[in-house]
Amino acid sequence: MDSQAIAPGHAEPHEVHEEHPAYLRHHFVTVDQQRETASFGMWLFLLTEIMFFGGLFMAYLLYRNWYYDAFVASSNTLGIGLGTTNTAVLILSSFTMAMGVYSAETRNRKGLLTSLSLTILLGLTFLGIKTIEYHDKYTEHHIPGASFSVEDFVHPTDKRDVPLAPDMAQHAQLFFFLYFAMTGMHALHMIIGISILFVLLYQAYHGAYVNGHTSTIDNFGLYWHFVDIVWIFLSRCCI
Amino acid sequence: MSTESGPVSHEHHIVGPKTYGLILAALMVLTATTTGAAYIEMGVFNPIVAIGIACLKAVLVILFFMHIRYSSKVMMLTVGAGFSRFWC
């Protein structure tokens, strides 16, 4: 978000110097330098996010190796249909976000508003499908903790599933703990992203980001694509 | 500070809808492939194929949607180093 986004004008008395766009801050020499620096900063943040999610993925890999049977059995209880649909929804939202960046760069206000709105819609669709999946976990007693039941693993209803020993079946709780931790953190990132999108939509409606200063939209696009990439790995690894 | 030497910056390249559309189609095809591959019994290669395709999708998103394909060497180096060091 840019505090100068909607009203980029010099309000205070200003030293006379070379003509420059209002959105060029004084600690930068050129607009390109400002744009690249902002982009670089966002990438550094995304690298820290890789470390953050990387830790969780490492934990998942390790425990999948140690308690293979429980993890495979648990993974099979997750519906492949909803997971794949969510992946398609997020990839589409990455496309609409990229189109938003293109609209901002080509100074197309209507296109930008449409793209941001579609991205919000797809993001909310993703969260809606996630809610359904979480509810399924609740009804199946797969939420780790007091309500967890090993019934589905010790006495599986599907004839193709191999029944687990009770102590191995308890390790399924670990799978679901990691499942909720990872998809929960991802969903939190989605919620934060959608909230920021609403702010960007409001600012774009009032004329921001189509006057040449597209940095904010560019960098938010980077964040959104990153959250998409995390989901791509999440849905392939955990399911 | 004099601006004679000026900061070295990279030309800003605008990526068009056609490129984005192609990458979208490729990502959808890869998603369908991963789903289909999950039903084929390949033993120890199943997770390898799944993660391999996921890596390919991530690379496509990073290169095109996130514009690294059109970025300066500094950006490419930063992202490449970060992705390989922290992810792998």
Side-chain angles (χ1 to χ4, degrees):
Chain A
M1 276 84 62
D2 197 327
S3 59
Q4 304 287 309
I6 296 181
H10 290 288
E12 320 87 43
H14 200 73
E15 267 178 34
V16 173
H17 57 232
E18 264 177 44
E19 195 57 46
H20 66 82
Y23 53 81
L24 177 62
R25 301 304 174 85
H26 289 130
H27 52 294
F28 293 109
V29 180
T30 63
V31 171
D32 269 342
Q33 183 196 17
Q34 175 175 288
R35 185 181 44 78
E36 276 181 23
T37 309
S39 199
F40 190 68
M42 178 49 102
W43 271 110
L44 288 182
F45 168 68
L46 294 182
L47 293 186
T48 67
E49 293 272 79
I50 291 180
M51 286 191 269
F52 173 76
F53 280 101
L56 288 170
F57 274 107
M58 185 59 223
Y60 175 81
L61 279 175
L62 195 64
Y63 282 118
R64 184 183 159 95
N65 224 358
W66 282 356
Y67 306 129
Y68 184 75
D69 296 327
F71 269 55
V72 166
S74 312
S75 175
N76 287 337
T77 67
L78 298 170
I80 199 168
L82 287 179
T84 309
T85 308
N86 258 350
T87 309
V89 165
L90 265 195
I91 290 177
L92 199 54
S93 78
S94 259
F95 173 74
T96 56
M97 190 62 220
M99 287 308 299
V101 169
Y102 175 75
S103 298
E105 286 170 341
T106 52
R107 315 210 177 192
N108 178 356
R109 178 172 168 272
K110 274 218 163 45
L112 178 60
L113 292 174
T114 311
S115 299
L116 290 177
S117 308
L118 283 175
T119 311
I120 291 175
L121 225 60
L122 289 166
L124 290 172
T125 307
F126 175 89
L127 289 177
I129 297 177
K130 241 328 60 314
T131 314
I132 296 174
E133 286 183 303
Y134 277 14
H135 180 75
D136 285 344
K137 295 285 133 266
Y138 170 72
T139 54
E140 292 167 4
H141 293 285
H142 285 161
I143 297 182
S147 64
F148 189 80
S149 155
V150 292
E151 259 320 290
D152 288 338
F153 302 105
V154 175
H155 300 117
T157 47
D158 195 327
K159 289 292 168 264
R160 293 168 299 179
D161 286 336
V162 176
L164 298 175
D167 59 340
M168 176 57 93
Q170 279 299 332
H171 294 313
Q173 281 203 67
L174 202 46
F175 175 89
F176 286 106
F177 170 73
L178 282 168
Y179 169 80
F180 279 110
M182 290 165 79
T183 59
M185 277 320 298
H186 178 264
L188 179 63
H189 280 73
M190 289 286 301
I191 292 170
I192 292 172
I194 293 173
S195 310
I196 296 177
L197 269 171
F198 274 113
V199 174
L200 294 180
L201 187 62
Y202 172 81
Q203 290 179 323
Y205 182 77
H206 289 283
Y209 308 125
V210 288
N211 57 353
H213 183 47
T214 60
S215 264
T216 312
I217 300 287
D218 283 344
N219 294 331
F220 178 79
L222 291 181
Y223 174 82
W224 192 260
H225 295 314
F226 177 77
V227 175
D228 180 26
I229 288 179
V230 168
W231 175 258
I232 288 173
F233 278 98
L234 250 185
S235 63
R236 290 310 109 198
C237 298
C238 293
I239 301 178
Chain B
M1 181 172 124
S2 85
T3 53
E4 290 153 351
S5 51
V8 176
S9 52
H10 196 79
E11 207 184 281
H12 189 43
H13 183 282
I14 298 182
V15 184
K18 231 186 293 202
T19 314
Y20 288 144
L22 273 170
I23 299 300
L24 172 70
L27 288 170
M28 290 300 191
V29 166
L30 287 172
T31 306
T33 311
T34 329
T35 310
Y39 288 106
I40 302 174
E41 190 56 56
M42 287 180 280
V44 73
F45 281 108
N46 271 102
I48 296 176
V49 164
I51 300 205
I53 298 182
C55 281
L56 183 56
K57 285 155 90 175
V59 165
L60 283 178
V61 172
I62 290 177
L63 281 180
F64 292 99
F65 281 172
M66 296 166 100
H67 302 166
I68 289 303
R69 172 81 176 77
Y70 310 101
S71 292
S72 59
K73 295 260 185 330
V74 158
M75 291 306 311
M76 288 188 189
L77 190 60
T78 309
V79 174
F83 186 74
S84 59
R85 175 72 181 89
F86 296 137
W87 200 252
C88 309

